[in-house]
Amino acid sequence: MTWNTTNFDELPVYEKLVKLARNPFDLTALRAISPERINGYKASAAGFDLLFATQRLDDAVINGLQQLADQSDAVAQFLDMKRGAVMNRIDGHASEERQVLHTACRDIFIESPHHAEATGEAKQQLEKLNVFLAELDRGALVNEQGENFTDYVNIGIGGSDLGPRAIYHALSAYSLQNRRVHFISNVDPDDAAAVLKKLDLSRTLVGVVSKSGSTLETLTNEEIVRVAYAEAGLNPGNHFIAITGHSSPMDNPERYLRSFYMYDYIGGRYSVTSMVGAVMLGFALGYDAFIEILRGANDMDRAAEERDIRRNPALLLALLGIWNHNFLGHETVAVLPYSQALLRFPAHLQQCDMESNGKSVTRNGEKVSGLTGPIVWGEPGTNGQHAFYQLLHQGTTVVPAEFIGFRQSQFEEDLLLKGTTSQDKLVANLLAQALALATGKNDDNPNRFFSGNRPSTVLLSDKLTPYAMGGLLALYEAKIAFQGFIWNINSFDQEGVQLGKVLANRFLGHLNVLRQAGDIDREQHPESWAMLEAAGFFQED
Amino acid sequence: MTWNTTNFDELPVYEKLVKLARNPFDLTALRAISPERINGYKASAAGFDLLFATQRLDDAVINGLQQLADQSDAVAQFLDMKRGAVMNRIDGHASEERQVLHTACRDIFIESPHHAEATGEAKQQLEKLNVFLAELDRGALVNEQGENFTDYVNIGIGGSDLGPRAIYHALSAYSLQNRRVHFISNVDPDDAAAVLKKLDLSRTLVGVVSKSGSTLETLTNEEIVRVAYAEAGLNPGNHFIAITGHSSPMDNPERYLRSFYMYDYIGGRYSVTSMVGAVMLGFALGYDAFIEILRGANDMDRAAEERDIRRNPALLLALLGIWNHNFLGHETVAVLPYSQALLRFPAHLQQCDMESNGKSVTRNGEKVSGLTGPIVWGEPGTNGQHAFYQLLHQGTTVVPAEFIGFRQSQFEEDLLLKGTTSQDKLVANLLAQALALATGKNDDNPNRFFSGNRPSTVLLSDKLTPYAMGGLLALYEAKIAFQGFIWNINSFDQEGVQLGKVLANRFLGHLNVLRQAGDIDREQHPESWAMLEAAGFFQED
């Protein structure tokens, strides 16, 4: 390791920032948000502008945040990550001990990629995908009746669902003709039933996504869909595609039309730009569009190598988050896209951010002394303005906001009404919210008083294209990694999901015992047995 | 008014609860969650069981919470609300001065309803709807070609969108054959474009929902859809339905096939069971299913009249929320439905809760001294378990959780795998999460240690039917109202949304000025002008 793992609150600049946080910049003061401030507090890369004049900080804080990045070796760690350092580990304790190489999927445009082997593997899989998609396009690969495939069902959960689903929704305006994608994720049997109800299975491909080939929900749903194929007299082997680890139980040509590989060095929540997203998005949007996503992501990955936070929006966003969370004490962050296509993007970020940084142990194996990852939530604007924004403006809890917007629409089908287009109205509302939250408003009626000083960031790009989506995705991936580096936590494992699995199996054990009319494990685990009983779950069978 | 408006922290029991909160019940102690506790900490009504053994409280706290309800006259206020008291007001200041009568829509089953006039109006509208739906069913009302209508587009935003959308998704398993519903809400022009792309307009009804008949987003989207009808050579007057206030600008038979009325005494976020939800849900599910929603809501509304918190799940849920928020200091609450059909229910609750209780002023016009409404967020399980649950288990912020589950699936198409069905697995996971969050787990590896003592509630019903959905909706509506009564705030206005509207119009004014090559208002509002400039928004035209 070329970087240090000093704890966050032991970095030299920490106390300085604590002091500065006692008197944060007052956004409500007359002319506080001057044109100079607005134009000066801006960072740009990969087609995105990040405006942060409506944050509660001044030049002294910005300098402090730059020092925080420098002293924690944030960029050096990011580079080491790209080069294949084993970032996924806890010193002195059993841990995953893995490299973190999702950026390698995007280094395909670089002559000397940071990690040649991983980028080589990514290229191999892309080539395999290109061949597969070309076969679909020219009608070489068709169904039993010689018809083209029109639908694709993605079966996966967590990272194999949320990210791919968010990106598909974001870009479905660019779908190829007669290509639709559906998602089954939840072990809730109604999830599969509702999707199956509306499909012509004979013209459908089914992508099953699981690195280990053993995820409970995914295998259960795969089995449900296989049964539906059998009942329809169709051979799943002509329809099912495996996206899985090399030589996992799912890597089996007898059961799958094709296998595409995912690797241990890419965690689920960072896997959208690997084959996890590629096969589905390639089907829906075409191979070239997927490459554009990678290109946007790669451009943002490169900007994330900049030491100067004014030239590195991901690092700046990470530091603004730390300022609001650790120094100003705000527990949550709202991600508010002014784009209906980004409806599911906050749910992806919830996973990517909260599963990465919802940790209580440093990389040295010590209990952290302060706050780590915030609660991330959000819904699109302007919808949210007619809903929870009431609390953002006048509630007793301050919620830092990250607005995301685009200057042009995707479909470019708009209407001029009262002198402005809908897209004008959309962006005007976005900017108005940032300003209103910051400045507040005095009023004699206490119920119409706005305290202001509620911080936000505005992130803008020209249009939500595949390229921009790649950039936005990589921006947040890098933001999350930077925050983990600075907090000195391991953002790449997820031990917190294990206990629930163990207990769920115990409950299922009870049900099995009960159905065999036994009563053995009741005494061993009285709480879980009693919960099943109180839940009225025993009367069902 | 028959109830008092004492401030929350001046109620006699307040200090007692503050003291009790210093040593909250330790859920991690050996056998702390005993079978007796699990069976005893349960409240039931309208087909729902609320299990709260995994909350951090004991009998002393429960008694204190009962006193809190009693001393704040919570149930008396709820009854007064039902009877037509002007609950939507701020004493001594200009305010909406309205009654709050969403429950009257559900009192149609009662011989002497609490507010005869409002219930009478609800019945009138229902009768009109019944006639309309019967015409559709028997083919008396058809399109220009004599074909049945198969699709319905709901144009509305906020309360005219989130609640109806959530309930439609929740119950679409019960849709009538060849009836589908789509939603357009956002002023983002891509929202309308994406929906229009997939429709056969000739067989589509369009419901436009706006009480005032003047909501910017809704009128804009209506105009976009009207233009699409005109371009398709169809007469919107044969397809468009108005759901609006009596004699609003939209109440115009020349432009709409039918008008259904909404009333000032029902706020947008409480309007799902009025015509706002009724017309769309009646089209999709049939009239009888909608009446079942009302019946479930009414049964829960009646349970909400119970003084004893053990027999009033809505009041109990409100008090548990206050215990976690005001006394234990947790800023957020996660609503986690173990039902994919409830995917959008948390977004509805975000509006209903945060717009109602995100307030800083008491009903006496004073600044509140403590916390009011929490941040509400959530996504379905088991999906969330593979995403943000990491933070719930091991993060530095404690998030109280409200789990919602059902013993049976909707489609009842399930698969027995390894001895259990998917529905078994779903509910086993729900219960396991509640237990895991509460008990935690010791481990020598600090990264595999779970601190526990993370509180949750489990809400269970047999099956997500229209009746159960009505009950669940009313449960949360009543919970939110109870919390507002106890905090002594007005949960029924939304002054916090006004400032953003004013500023958005200012930004739009700049754009108009600019497009006419003028420069007049630049000096008047340098900040908003500079924000538009920094956002790169001027180069577009």
Side-chain angles (χ1 to χ4, degrees):
Chain A
M1 294 187 291
T2 59
W3 31 272
N4 74 63
T5 56
T6 307
N7 286 339
F8 172 55
D9 55 0
E10 290 159 11
L11 294 170
V13 75
Y14 181 83
E15 286 303 328
K16 176 181 159 186
L17 286 166
V18 168
K19 273 185 206 124
L20 287 168
R22 281 180 208 144
N23 261 311
F25 185 79
D26 182 4
L27 296 163
T28 68
L30 194 67
R31 303 194 207 294
I33 306 177
S34 66
E36 295 70 34
R37 179 179 169 93
I38 292 166
N39 287 308
Y41 283 17
K42 183 171 171 175
S44 305
F48 278 90
D49 296 320
L50 190 160
L51 311 184
F52 60 104
T54 46
Q55 290 286 350
R56 297 200 65 187
L57 43 66
D58 55 16
D59 288 343
V61 174
I62 295 172
N63 292 338
L65 293 175
Q66 177 73 62
Q67 288 175 279
L68 184 60
D70 294 344
Q71 292 173 9
S72 59
D73 287 339
V75 170
Q77 295 193 54
F78 190 78
L79 276 166
D80 274 1
M81 180 188 86
K82 282 183 161 183
R83 288 172 189 143
V86 179
M87 307 298 286
N88 180 355
R89 67 187 297 274
I90 302 280
D91 202 34
H93 298 278
S95 60
E96 294 197 322
E97 302 282 342
R98 287 181 185 165
Q99 296 167 297
V100 178
L101 283 168
H102 51 279
T103 51
C105 299
R106 286 99 75 141
D107 274 350
I108 57 168
F109 308 99
I110 298 180
E111 250 180 80
S112 314
H114 293 288
H115 194 279
E117 198 190 329
T119 298
E121 287 177 321
K123 280 183 173 170
Q124 245 175 15
Q125 296 303 312
L126 280 172
E127 197 34 55
K128 205 158 69 172
L129 176 64
N130 197 9
V131 169
F132 172 69
L133 294 173
E135 285 176 29
L136 289 177
D137 287 348
R138 69 168 189 271
L141 187 63
V142 288
N143 74 356
E144 289 86 344
Q145 286 77 45
E147 299 163 321
N148 285 325
F149 291 102
T150 55
D151 291 77
Y152 185 106
V153 175
N154 188 82
I155 303 181
I157 195 163
S160 302
D161 170 64
L162 291 164
R165 194 191 289 245
I167 308 309
Y168 173 69
H169 279 295
L171 299 177
S172 66
Y174 308 108
S175 287
L176 300 178
Q177 241 191 335
N178 281 318
R179 296 272 177 96
R180 287 171 300 272
V181 179
H182 318 267
F183 297 85
I184 300 175
S185 52
N186 205 319
V187 78
D188 177 356
D190 289 334
D191 193 13
V195 171
L196 287 173
K197 204 178 158 184
K198 59 185 174 189
L199 283 181
D200 175 358
L201 294 184
S202 74
R203 302 191 66 170
T204 300
L205 290 169
V206 181
V208 186
V209 192
S210 170
K211 201 193 291 175
S212 64
S214 67
T215 312
L216 168 82
E217 285 89 342
T218 302
L219 294 196
T220 304
N221 281 320
E222 177 180 7
E223 199 49 40
I224 288 177
V225 180
R226 280 187 183 266
V227 168
Y229 268 86
E231 284 172 358
L234 295 162
N235 175 10
N238 295 333
H239 295 261
F240 279 54
I241 298 161
I243 296 107
T244 190
H246 195 285
S247 39
S248 93
M250 271 172 56
D251 185 15
N252 178 353
E254 285 176 18
R255 283 169 56 86
Y256 299 93
L257 187 60
R258 297 288 160 93
S259 283
F260 296 95
Y261 295 135
M262 30 202 307
Y263 298 91
D264 259 2
Y265 51 70
I266 300 184
R269 55 193 176 271
Y270 295 95
S271 68
V272 188
T273 54
S274 76
M275 285 298 115
V276 171
V279 184
M280 178 274 291
L281 291 168
F283 176 84
L285 313 174
Y287 184 79
D288 293 348
F290 183 73
I291 297 297
E292 277 307 294
I293 296 175
L294 297 184
R295 193 185 304 277
N298 186 242
D299 283 353
M300 192 59 83
D301 289 342
R302 293 199 226 186
E305 296 176 14
E306 294 281 348
R307 199 199 64 89
D308 180 353
I309 59 176
R310 303 283 192 141
R311 301 174 66 184
N312 185 339
L315 180 56
L316 179 56
L317 201 59
L319 292 161
L320 294 172
I322 288 174
W323 175 245
N324 285 320
H325 190 50
N326 297 83
F327 295 100
L328 301 185
H330 307 311
E331 287 189 1
T332 78
V333 58
V335 177
L336 306 169
Y338 275 61
S339 159
Q340 193 65 17
L342 288 176
L343 176 68
R344 299 303 294 159
F345 190 59
H348 166 62
L349 290 186
Q350 267 179 344
Q351 160 167 60
C352 199
D353 197 323
M354 295 170 71
E355 193 172 24
S356 294
N357 290 338
K359 305 285 166 70
S360 292
V361 174
T362 69
R363 291 183 290 191
N364 307 322
E366 297 156 6
K367 197 172 178 338
V368 297
S369 48
L371 293 176
T372 59
I375 292 151
V376 180
W377 62 281
E379 288 283 329
T382 57
N383 289 12
Q385 292 177 205
H386 295 258
F388 57 82
Y389 278 41
Q390 165 67 37
L391 186 147
L392 302 191
H393 285 285
Q394 290 189 317
T396 50
T397 304
V398 171
V399 178
E402 293 174 4
F403 294 100
I404 302 172
F406 302 92
R407 299 179 191 102
Q408 297 156 40
S409 65
Q410 289 183 318
F411 287 97
E412 301 189 27
E413 288 168 15
D414 210 330
L415 184 80
L416 203 71
L417 201 71
K418 297 184 187 172
T420 55
T421 63
S422 286
Q423 191 66 24
D424 288 345
K425 294 181 181 82
L426 184 66
V427 182
N429 272 280
L430 183 165
L431 297 174
Q433 291 297 326
L435 200 56
L437 288 166
T439 61
K441 180 174 82 67
N442 269 318
D443 201 296
D444 289 340
N445 185 331
N447 203 33
R448 293 175 187 163
F449 169 80
F450 294 75
S451 63
N453 271 327
R454 296 170 184 244
S456 69
T457 290
V458 173
L459 201 57
L460 282 166
S461 189
D462 278 342
K463 188 172 170 175
L464 184 53
T465 58
Y467 176 86
M469 187 66 245
L472 187 62
L473 186 75
L475 172 74
Y476 273 96
E477 287 177 355
K479 172 203 174 182
I480 292 161
F482 280 130
Q483 290 192 331
F485 296 150
I486 294 169
W487 286 322
N488 192 28
I489 58 176
N490 177 2
S491 303
F492 308 108
D493 67 355
Q494 53 283 319
E495 294 291 344
V497 308
Q498 297 304 326
L499 178 56
K501 283 188 195 172
V502 172
L503 291 184
N505 283 328
R506 182 178 303 165
F507 278 101
L508 289 171
H510 294 333
L511 285 173
N512 269 328
V513 164
L514 190 89
R515 281 176 189 163
Q516 292 148 28
D519 211 5
I520 323 156
D521 64 353
R522 179 175 199 143
E523 280 170 43
Q524 210 181 336
H525 297 296
E527 308 84 15
S528 41
W529 189 282
M531 274 184 80
L532 270 177
E533 216 160 27
F537 204 59
F538 285 174
Q539 293 104 50
E540 296 320 304
D541 271 68
Chain B
M1 294 187 291
T2 58
W3 30 271
N4 74 63
T5 55
T6 308
N7 286 338
F8 173 56
D9 55 0
E10 290 160 10
L11 294 169
V13 74
Y14 181 83
E15 286 304 328
K16 176 182 158 185
L17 285 166
V18 168
K19 273 185 206 124
L20 286 168
R22 281 180 207 143
N23 260 312
F25 186 77
D26 182 4
L27 296 164
T28 68
L30 193 66
R31 303 195 206 293
I33 306 178
S34 66
E36 294 69 36
R37 180 180 169 92
I38 292 167
N39 286 308
Y41 282 17
K42 182 172 172 175
S44 304
F48 278 90
D49 297 320
L50 191 159
L51 310 184
F52 59 103
T54 46
Q55 289 286 349
R56 298 201 65 188
L57 42 68
D58 55 15
D59 288 344
V61 174
I62 294 173
N63 293 337
L65 294 175
Q66 177 73 60
Q67 288 175 278
L68 185 60
D70 293 344
Q71 291 172 10
S72 59
D73 287 340
V75 171
Q77 295 193 54
F78 190 78
L79 275 166
D80 275 0
M81 180 188 87
K82 281 184 161 183
R83 289 173 187 142
V86 179
M87 307 298 287
N88 180 355
R89 66 188 296 274
I90 301 281
D91 202 34
H93 297 279
S95 59
E96 294 196 323
E97 302 281 343
R98 287 181 185 167
Q99 297 167 295
V100 177
L101 283 168
H102 51 280
T103 51
C105 299
R106 284 99 74 140
D107 274 349
I108 56 168
F109 308 100
I110 297 180
E111 250 181 80
S112 313
H114 293 287
H115 194 280
E117 197 191 329
T119 298
E121 287 178 322
K123 279 183 173 170
Q124 248 175 14
Q125 296 304 311
L126 281 172
E127 197 33 55
K128 204 158 69 173
L129 175 63
N130 196 8
V131 169
F132 172 69
L133 294 174
E135 286 176 29
L136 289 177
D137 286 348
R138 68 167 191 271
L141 188 64
V142 288
N143 75 356
E144 289 85 346
Q145 286 76 45
E147 299 163 320
N148 286 324
F149 292 103
T150 54
D151 292 77
Y152 185 106
V153 175
N154 189 83
I155 303 181
I157 195 164
S160 302
D161 170 62
L162 291 164
R165 194 191 290 245
I167 308 307
Y168 173 69
H169 279 294
L171 299 177
S172 66
Y174 309 108
S175 287
L176 299 177
Q177 241 191 336
N178 281 318
R179 295 272 176 94
R180 287 170 300 272
V181 179
H182 317 267
F183 297 85
I184 300 176
S185 51
N186 204 319
V187 77
D188 177 355
D190 288 333
D191 193 14
V195 170
L196 288 173
K197 204 178 158 184
K198 58 184 175 190
L199 284 181
D200 175 359
L201 293 184
S202 74
R203 303 192 64 172
T204 299
L205 290 170
V206 181
V208 186
V209 191
S210 170
K211 199 192 291 176
S212 64
S214 67
T215 313
L216 169 82
E217 284 91 339
T218 302
L219 293 195
T220 304
N221 281 319
E222 177 180 7
E223 199 49 41
I224 288 176
V225 180
R226 280 187 182 266
V227 168
Y229 268 86
E231 283 171 0
L234 295 162
N235 175 8
N238 296 332
H239 294 260
F240 279 54
I241 298 162
I243 296 107
T244 189
H246 195 286
S247 39
S248 93
M250 271 172 58
D251 185 15
N252 179 352
E254 285 177 20
R255 283 169 58 85
Y256 299 92
L257 187 60
R258 297 288 159 93
S259 282
F260 296 95
Y261 295 135
M262 30 202 307
Y263 297 92
D264 259 2
Y265 51 71
I266 301 184
R269 56 193 176 271
Y270 295 95
S271 69
V272 188
T273 54
S274 77
M275 284 299 115
V276 171
V279 184
M280 178 275 290
L281 291 168
F283 175 84
L285 312 174
Y287 184 78
D288 293 348
F290 183 72
I291 296 297
E292 277 306 294
I293 296 175
L294 297 184
R295 193 184 304 277
N298 186 243
D299 283 353
M300 192 60 83
D301 287 343
R302 292 200 227 185
E305 296 176 15
E306 294 280 350
R307 199 200 63 90
D308 180 354
I309 59 176
R310 303 280 192 141
R311 302 174 65 184
N312 185 338
L315 180 55
L316 178 57
L317 200 59
L319 292 162
L320 293 172
I322 288 174
W323 174 247
N324 285 320
H325 190 51
N326 297 83
F327 295 101
L328 301 185
H330 307 312
E331 288 189 1
T332 78
V333 57
V335 177
L336 306 169
Y338 275 60
S339 158
Q340 193 65 18
L342 288 176
L343 177 68
R344 298 303 294 159
F345 190 59
H348 165 62
L349 290 186
Q350 267 179 345
Q351 161 169 57
C352 199
D353 198 324
M354 295 169 72
E355 193 172 23
S356 294
N357 290 338
K359 306 286 167 67
S360 292
V361 174
T362 70
R363 289 182 291 190
N364 307 321
E366 298 156 6
K367 197 171 177 337
V368 296
S369 48
L371 293 177
T372 60
I375 291 151
V376 180
W377 62 282
E379 287 283 330
T382 56
N383 290 13
Q385 292 176 204
H386 295 258
F388 57 83
Y389 278 41
Q390 165 67 38
L391 185 147
L392 301 191
H393 285 285
Q394 291 189 317
T396 50
T397 304
V398 172
V399 179
E402 294 174 2
F403 294 101
I404 302 171
F406 302 91
R407 298 180 191 100
Q408 298 155 41
S409 66
Q410 290 184 316
F411 287 97
E412 301 189 27
E413 288 168 16
D414 209 331
L415 184 79
L416 202 71
L417 201 71
K418 297 183 187 173
T420 54
T421 63
S422 285
Q423 190 67 24
D424 288 344
K425 293 181 181 81
L426 184 64
V427 182
N429 271 282
L430 183 165
L431 298 175
Q433 290 298 325
L435 200 57
L437 287 166
T439 60
K441 180 173 83 65
N442 269 316
D443 201 296
D444 288 340
N445 185 331
N447 204 32
R448 292 175 188 163
F449 168 81
F450 294 75
S451 64
N453 270 327
R454 295 169 185 244
S456 69
T457 290
V458 173
L459 201 56
L460 281 167
S461 189
D462 278 343
K463 186 172 171 176
L464 184 53
T465 58
Y467 177 86
M469 188 65 245
L472 186 63
L473 186 74
L475 172 74
Y476 273 97
E477 287 177 356
K479 173 204 173 181
I480 293 162
F482 280 131
Q483 290 191 332
F485 296 150
I486 296 169
W487 286 323
N488 191 27
I489 58 176
N490 178 3
S491 302
F492 307 107
D493 67 354
Q494 54 282 321
E495 294 291 344
V497 308
Q498 297 305 327
L499 178 56
K501 283 189 196 171
V502 172
L503 291 184
N505 283 329
R506 183 179 300 165
F507 278 101
L508 289 171
H510 294 333
L511 285 173
N512 270 328
V513 164
L514 190 90
R515 283 178 188 161
Q516 293 149 28
D519 210 7
I520 322 156
D521 63 354
R522 178 175 200 143
E523 280 171 43
Q524 208 180 338
H525 298 293
E527 307 85 15
S528 41
W529 190 282
M531 272 184 82
L532 269 177
E533 216 160 28
F537 204 60
F538 285 173
Q539 293 103 50
E540 296 321 305
D541 272 69

